[in-house]
């Protein structure tokens, strides 16, 4: 699909002016990248909170150019973004200069999720509809052509999350078809190992591995529940208490860097009307603390090595 030829005039506000749909952070916690329906992705310096780069993929009329997914390589050098475009494109940019360095095109549907492997050499693309996931790898730091190294199209709903284990040897996905899947991704292959329907809701939405890779926490689009699974068997290990959460879901989910705390937020509102952050101790087995966090839905959480979130 050719890129749009006509320029589109935009007012630069130095901030997003439509819903933010995706958030990612590099391994050292220096930069955050956000993607928005305003058709931009933005890179933020996490020490100062300063906007350092506005990334502008090709856009067109209507939905063309809205972004639903973003990812940054662990070294912070390359940013990938995607969403709604005529060619169902993934765009890769240099983080520092903002230059587009590659375009992966011709995918089968809208891009819903992106994630880089811990070594930064593979990129998994989640798709809308029943098209599943595709995996691409690079031998040139994403500055030359990439190679498709695997795919799984046996899905009955859109992909909502894809997460690598900390060691990069396995990948877990969540889908609106109700299944969590785990793949062997060693040597860039994509081999299905296990799949299960986690207890707690009909539509698993978010997934996050514990820092040691032994547990996999899942939240749901249709439930307030959070379920922690054994990362190998996908059997329920335990369920953090959701007492007092009678409305909304906890779609935004993360672990603290040391694995001791499991924070979550989302559409859930506290009694004062604010969207709250619940933090369970002992990795979700212990008592919880609730904190007012935002005036609107929380779309993403990331914890940093120094304890910040």
């Amino acid at each position: 699909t050719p890129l749009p030829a006509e320029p589109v005039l935009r007012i630069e506000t130095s901030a997003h002016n439509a819903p933010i749909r995706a958030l990612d952070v590099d391994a050292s916690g220096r930069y955050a990248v956000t993607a928005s329906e305003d058709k931009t992705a933005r890179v933020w310096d996490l020490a100062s909170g300063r906007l350092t780069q506005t990334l502008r993929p090709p856009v067109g009329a209507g939905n063309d150019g809205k972004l639903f997914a973003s990812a940054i390589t662990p070294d912070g050098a390359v940013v990938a973004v995607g969403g709604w475009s005529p060619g169902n494109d993934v765009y890769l940019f240099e983080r520092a200069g903002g230059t587009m360095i590659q375009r992966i095109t011709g995918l089968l549907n809208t891009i819903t999720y992106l994630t880089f492997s811990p070594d930064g050499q593979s990129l998994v693309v989640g798709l809308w509809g029943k098209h599943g996931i595709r995996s691409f790898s690079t031998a040139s730091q994403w500055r030359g052509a990439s190679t498709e190294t695997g795919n799984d199209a046996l899905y009955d709903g859109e992909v909502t999350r894809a997460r690598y284990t900390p060691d990069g040897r396995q990948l877990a996905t969540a889908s609106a078809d109700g299944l969590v899947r785990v793949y062997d991704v060693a040597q860039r292959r994509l081999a299905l190992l296990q799949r299960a329907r986690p207890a707690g809701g009909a539509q698993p939405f978010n997934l996050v591995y514990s820092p040691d890779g032994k547990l996999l926490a899942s939240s749901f689009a249709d439930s307030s529940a959070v379920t922690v699974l054994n990362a190998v068997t996908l059997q329920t290990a335990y369920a953090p208490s959701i007492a007092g959460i009678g409305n909304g879901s906890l779609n935004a989910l993360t672990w603290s860097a040391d694995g001791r705390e499991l924070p979550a937020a989302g559409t859930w509102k506290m009694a004062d009307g604010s969207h709250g952050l619940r933090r369970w101790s002992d990795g979700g087995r212990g008592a919880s603390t609730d904190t007012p966090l935002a005036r609107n839905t929380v779309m993403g959480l990331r914890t940093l090595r120094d304890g910040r979130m």
Side-chain angles (χ1 to χ4, degrees):
T1 303
L3 297 177
E6 295 299 320
V8 178
L9 299 179
R10 304 293 298 275
I11 296 174
E12 174 52 44
T13 63
S14 297
H16 288 300
N17 54 28
I20 295 171
R21 291 297 184 186
L23 164 72
D24 199 16
V25 175
D26 71 305
S28 297
R30 295 170 298 167
Y31 306 105
V33 57
T34 52
S36 171
E37 290 187 18
D38 67 7
K39 307 184 181 183
T40 70
R42 294 176 186 266
V43 180
W44 310 86
D45 177 86
L46 288 176
S48 65
R50 183 174 60 89
L51 174 68
T52 65
Q53 200 67 254
T54 300
L55 307 176
R56 296 186 180 277
V59 301
N63 290 322
D64 185 6
K66 288 183 177 180
L67 297 178
F68 305 138
S70 65
I72 186 168
T73 51
D75 65 3
V78 175
V79 172
V81 299
W84 189 308
S85 64
N88 299 314
D89 303 297
V90 176
Y91 305 101
L92 291 105
F93 292 84
E94 280 187 324
R95 189 267 314 157
T99 303
M100 189 190 299
I101 56 175
Q102 190 179 153
R103 172 187 176 220
I104 299 171
T105 190
L107 301 176
L108 295 175
N109 212 318
T110 300
I111 314 306
T112 58
Y113 202 77
L114 294 167
T115 189
F116 283 106
S117 58
D119 66 4
Q121 300 305 300
S122 292
L123 175 68
V124 168
V125 182
L127 300 172
W128 188 264
K130 299 181 179 182
H131 299 289
I133 59 171
R134 294 173 72 171
S135 175
F136 296 85
S137 293
T138 181
S140 59
Q141 307 297 313
W142 303 105
R143 286 164 178 80
S146 57
T147 302
E148 183 173 349
T149 53
N151 68 81
D152 183 0
L154 298 178
Y155 280 65
D156 285 323
E158 65 268 18
V159 174
T160 56
R161 281 297 182 277
R163 303 280 199 191
Y164 281 92
T165 50
D167 64 11
R169 297 183 61 83
Q170 293 187 3
L171 175 88
T173 65
S175 170
D177 65 11
L179 291 171
V180 169
R181 295 166 171 86
V182 173
Y183 300 86
D184 179 355
V185 291
Q187 284 137 39
R188 314 297 178 204
R189 63 183 174 180
L190 191 65
L192 182 66
L193 295 175
Q194 191 69 264
R195 65 179 192 170
R197 295 183 182 275
Q203 294 183 329
F205 184 84
N206 202 346
L207 293 174
V208 60
Y209 277 103
S210 59
D212 63 8
K214 295 180 179 180
L215 297 170
L216 183 63
S218 173
S219 61
F220 300 86
D222 62 328
S223 165
S224 301
V226 172
T227 301
V228 180
L229 309 171
N230 178 297
V232 175
T233 66
L234 296 184
Q235 297 301 304
T236 300
Y238 53 91
S241 171
I242 55 170
I245 299 179
N247 61 84
S249 57
L250 298 171
N251 297 150
L253 190 63
T254 189
W255 291 83
S256 61
D258 60 9
R260 295 179 181 177
E261 195 171 69
L262 183 63
T267 62
W268 164 54
K269 289 184 180 181
M270 300 179 66
D272 65 359
S274 63
H275 289 71
L277 172 70
R278 174 159 290 193
R279 293 179 289 178
W280 292 278
S281 62
D282 194 18
R285 302 176 187 86
S288 62
T289 302
D290 295 340
T291 306
L293 185 62
R295 292 178 295 173
N296 212 321
T297 297
V298 181
M299 299 298 293
L301 292 174
R302 290 291 188 277
T303 47
L304 308 182
R305 291 176 180 175
D306 62 7
R308 290 182 298 152
M309 187 180 303

